[in-house]
Amino acid sequence: MSGHVQQPPIRVLLVDDAVETRGLVRLALRLRGGFDVLAETGSGEEAVALAARLQPDVVVLDLGLPDLAGRTVLTQVREAAPSVQVVVFSGADPHDADLAWYEQHTAGYVVKNEEIDYLVDLVLAAGRPTLPSPAQTAEVDLPQDLSSVRQARSVVRSTLATWELEHLHDEACLVVSELATNALNHAQSSFCVRLSLHPTTVRIEVGDSGHGTPEPQPHSATREGGRGMLLVAAMSASWGIDRSEGGKVVWAELARETAGRPGS
């Protein structure tokens, strides 16, 4: 294993009008370690002012604030701190019509009945500083739940944006969606999503506790299964499966350079 490089803490701003909720999140971040809670507030207007002054790495944001709510506070926070990553911590799932917007503008959307460790994982993935060459990485553990596929896409989008590889969003989100769906439907387990940046490729890994092997299947007018892995194989420069005692990791690598659009 390579030598550990000490990294600065992830600087966090907590925004929620429920004092108890802020305390719960603050404690969870402290117990995990590697975070610095710069400030907290229950006011949307104060959140915008604090984001502008402190320039945190991550804002954990409740959308149901009494003064500014929903997209308004999120948009103003991002305008005040353009480089900030926002993880929404909400009491309700987003409406279907809003889902794509939140996927594009946040690093994750967590419903308050989820395990608090899930929120901390997303804050870590959103705010982790870039790692030294040759590989930069982002990793998040996700529960056995259909909403985890959406969260996996959110992590992929925010990570690629950090790496200035937005031109890979569509392919990478399709790949992680298929691999995550396979983990849920076939392995029937929680799973881990890991992205790593290499000189010519972006590697996407999904690890689960299942032992089955996903295989691309020939096209059939009557069978639905297997088409997802055909898409993964078609989009990827390479893909494969690494097995372990605890399960398996299915991985795919996307070329950083596409026709006319070199990766940075």
Side-chain angles (χ1 to χ4, degrees), residues 55-121:
Q55 297 294 308
D57 300 312
V58 182
V59 174
V60 178
L61 179 65
D62 177 26
L63 299 179
L65 302 174
D67 53 348
L68 299 176
R71 293 190 185 189
T72 300
V73 64
L74 198 158
T75 300
Q76 291 188 20
V77 163
R78 288 175 59 87
E79 289 174 351
S83 64
V84 74
Q85 297 291 323
V86 177
V87 175
V88 172
F89 194 37
S90 174
D93 278 313
H95 298 297
D96 290 343
D98 296 329
L99 187 57
W101 190 89
Y102 283 115
E103 284 187 348
Q104 183 178 358
H105 292 86
T106 72
Y109 192 113
V110 183
V111 180
K112 288 185 177 178
N113 60 9
E114 297 279 3
E115 293 290 335
I116 193 69
D117 283 346
Y118 176 35
L119 172 67
V120 175
D121 287 340

Side-chain angles (χ1 to χ4, degrees), residues 5-258:
V5 178
Q6 183 67 35
Q7 299 184 50
I10 296 169
R11 303 161 66 250
V12 181
L13 171 62
L14 301 181
V15 183
D16 198 305
D17 61 331
V19 177
E20 298 84 359
T21 300
R22 297 203 309 264
L24 179 65
V25 176
R26 187 189 333 112
L27 178 61
L29 294 174
R30 182 182 303 164
L31 290 174
R32 177 70 66 89
F35 300 95
D36 180 11
V37 177
L38 302 177
E40 55 185 84
T41 180
S43 160
E45 291 185 356
E46 187 176 3
V48 174
L50 287 169
R53 178 166 63 86
L54 299 174
Q55 297 294 308
D57 300 312
V58 182
V59 174
V60 178
L61 179 65
D62 177 26
L63 299 179
L65 302 174
D67 53 348
L68 299 176
R71 293 190 185 189
T72 300
V73 64
L74 198 158
T75 300
Q76 291 188 20
V77 163
R78 288 175 59 87
E79 289 174 351
S83 64
V84 74
Q85 297 291 323
V86 177
V87 175
V88 172
F89 194 37
S90 174
D93 278 313
H95 298 297
D96 290 343
D98 296 329
L99 187 57
W101 190 89
Y102 283 115
E103 284 187 348
Q104 183 178 358
H105 292 86
T106 72
Y109 192 113
V110 183
V111 180
K112 288 185 177 178
N113 60 9
E114 297 279 3
E115 293 290 335
I116 193 69
D117 283 346
Y118 176 35
L119 172 67
V120 175
D121 287 340
L122 282 181
V123 175
L124 179 62
R128 176 180 292 155
T130 55
L131 299 176
S133 252
Q136 298 172 337
T137 63
E139 183 173 322
V140 62
D141 292 314
L142 296 170
Q144 184 183 351
D145 187 270
L146 288 177
S147 66
S148 293
V149 177
R150 182 184 73 236
Q151 300 295 347
R153 289 197 300 267
S154 294
V155 171
V156 166
R157 285 181 181 275
S158 63
T159 301
L160 291 181
T162 299
W163 293 342
E164 299 182 352
L165 293 173
E166 290 91 344
H167 64 277
L168 294 180
H169 276 175
D170 291 343
E171 294 91 336
C173 285
L174 186 150
V175 166
V176 79
S177 293
E178 294 298 339
L179 299 186
T181 299
N182 277 342
L184 291 176
N185 291 345
H186 301 297
Q188 296 184 343
S189 75
S190 58
F191 59 92
C192 175
V193 175
R194 176 183 170 89
L195 284 83
S196 54
L197 180 64
H198 301 272
T200 60
T201 62
V202 172
R203 183 180 175 103
I204 301 171
E205 301 175 357
V206 173
D208 59 57
S209 59
H211 294 279
T213 301
E215 295 287 352
Q217 300 295 327
H219 175 73
S220 168
T222 58
R223 183 180 59 244
E224 294 295 327
R227 294 184 184 179
M229 291 309 299
L230 282 174
L231 287 173
V232 170
M235 295 247 180
S236 306
S238 60
W239 75 278
I241 303 168
D242 296 330
R243 296 176 180 84
S244 67
E245 290 183 0
K248 67 179 183 300
V249 173
V250 185
W251 57 267
E253 293 185 341
L254 303 179
R256 287 178 58 175
E257 295 187 3
T258 57

